[in-house]
Amino acid sequence: MDVDERTLRLALLGEAAGGLAHELRNVLQTIAVAAYLAEREGGAPVRVQSMARSARRGLELVEAILAVGRGEQVQPPGVPLRDLFADAREGLPDNVRFVDEPSVATPGPFDPVLFPRLLHVLYENAGHAAAPNPVVVTTRVEEGPGSVAVLVEDDGPGVPAALVDRLFEPFSSQRAGGTGLGLALARRIARAHGGELAHEGGARFRATVPTLPR
């Protein structure tokens, strides 16, 4: 694929994603309002309460991703990485198991809506790459001068050699039914933090974000 074709495809993808995000936001707002009214009327079942929470979280994520698409940078509070794991690990393949090193309790400049999505992409990819075999994913934090790095590594097969050079390009997935958009979005999220997401070989990824004012 030449540069002009890639640029055109990215532009079309951006337009499509923006339109889909707008429509999804409208749907989620309708669900959130309906659930809110059900709660106000009293006696809302647990499923309705769960629906309301999911809709609110979905709205937050859509708004945050739209901001990233506009090129906005996030200004996150300092929160421990482990506080973001509940969202990051929801809906993953059943074969994924985790090892978290003690450093994940260290507060860092992670956006509480967007950074879990970055982690989710890495965790989900690890699960799909190893399936149906189990895979252990290790997460840890390394602090440096003016930055903090989150390392995610698994004991699965790693990134196929044929995919390495275009790993972060949209539509690069080799998985049946995959879109290849996950890692492209994950890198955009890292860059919205003023940082970067890099593949360091095998099944190891490093997301580096600055701790100093940008």
Side-chain angles (χ1 to χ4, degrees):
M1 185 188 307
D2 59 32
V3 175
D4 289 340
E5 184 181 354
R6 182 181 294 111
T7 301
L8 176 60
R9 289 182 65 176
L10 288 173
L12 292 173
L13 173 63
E15 292 179 7
L20 287 172
H22 177 75
E23 294 302 320
L24 179 58
R25 178 171 55 185
N26 291 341
V27 171
L28 288 171
Q29 285 175 336
T30 300
I31 295 173
V33 169
Y36 171 76
L37 293 175
E39 289 178 314
R40 282 285 302 272
E41 291 171 0
V46 173
R47 288 183 179 177
V48 172
Q49 296 172 10
S50 177
M51 180 177 68
R53 287 193 299 271
S54 296
R56 287 192 291 267
R57 264 188 14 219
L59 278 170
E60 290 176 353
L61 181 59
V62 168
E63 296 290 355
I65 290 176
L66 285 173
V68 169
R70 292 190 294 267
E72 298 177 15
Q73 288 201 330
V74 299
Q75 299 294 333
V79 297
L81 186 66
R82 67 181 178 189
D83 290 358
L84 310 181
F85 284 163
D87 286 345
R89 297 174 179 178
E90 185 174 341
L92 292 173
D94 294 337
N95 63 325
V96 183
R97 300 293 180 267
F98 294 100
V99 172
D100 303 323
E101 297 197 355
S103 56
V104 299
T106 304
F110 311 116
D111 183 272
V113 175
L114 285 172
F115 209 81
R117 179 51 42 182
L118 183 156
L119 293 174
H120 182 88
V121 169
L122 300 180
Y123 296 154
E124 184 176 46
N125 285 354
H128 285 305
N133 300 317
V135 62
V136 176
V137 182
T138 301
T139 307
R140 69 177 184 275
V141 173
E142 292 182 355
E143 295 183 84
S147 67
V148 59
V150 178
L151 283 82
V152 176
E153 185 173 15
D154 66 72
D155 62 356
V159 176
L163 195 60
V164 169
D165 290 340
R166 51 192 178 90
L167 188 57
F168 295 100
E169 294 182 8
F171 310 114
S172 294
S173 176
Q174 292 187 333
R175 175 166 56 90
T179 63
L181 299 178
L183 283 173
L185 174 61
R187 174 169 273 184
R188 287 292 297 272
I189 290 173
R191 291 177 175 176
H193 282 74
E196 186 57 273
L197 175 64
H199 174 235
E200 295 191 331
R204 177 186 172 102
F205 288 83
R206 177 186 296 264
T208 305
V209 296
T211 55
L212 298 177
R214 303 194 291 275

